[in-house]
Amino acid sequence: MTKWLLAAGVLMPFYGAQATQDPEAVYNRVCGACHSGQLPTAPRKGDQEAWAPRLAQGMETLVQHVTQGFKAMPPRGLCMDCSAEDYRVIIHWMSE
């Protein structure tokens, strides 16, 4: 029993809340390839007019679109180490 508790205690931090990544760093690493204008259907960072109808769908819908892929958006937006919280922060950052 003690071994199981020890193992759980050691592994628990890996299953806890992941720190949110810096949105600008993630954008520069993966999102900017499409959201800086190379893909006409991807809303550009800071283009509030393009983001407005998307944000009107709700953040959870946008996170689902990124996670599962939607139209030209590849699954996970090609950010394989991003969490749902990372996506929320990055979407908010890009839409400002």
Side-chain angles (χ1 to χ4, degrees), residues 38-55:
Q38 282 73 1
L39 187 63
T41 58
R44 294 181 81 162
K45 181 196 172 320
D47 185 347
Q48 294 178 351
E49 187 177 323
W51 280 101
R54 291 166 172 88
L55 292 171

Side-chain angles (χ1 to χ4, degrees), residues 12-80:
M12 192 61 73
F14 296 110
Y15 293 102
Q18 180 181 354
T20 304
Q21 298 183 54
D22 175 50
E24 186 173 4
V26 174
Y27 175 85
N28 290 335
R29 190 177 79 222
V30 290
C31 306
C34 296
H35 288 277
S36 62
Q38 282 73 1
L39 187 63
T41 58
R44 294 181 81 162
K45 181 196 172 320
D47 185 347
Q48 294 178 351
E49 187 177 323
W51 280 101
R54 291 166 172 88
L55 292 171
Q57 297 176 42
M59 185 60 73
E60 293 312 307
T61 298
L62 294 178
V63 170
Q64 182 180 7
H65 286 171
V66 175
T67 304
Q68 296 176 357
F70 183 76
K71 296 185 180 181
M73 170 73 78
R76 302 195 59 79
L78 299 179
C79 184
M80 300 307 160

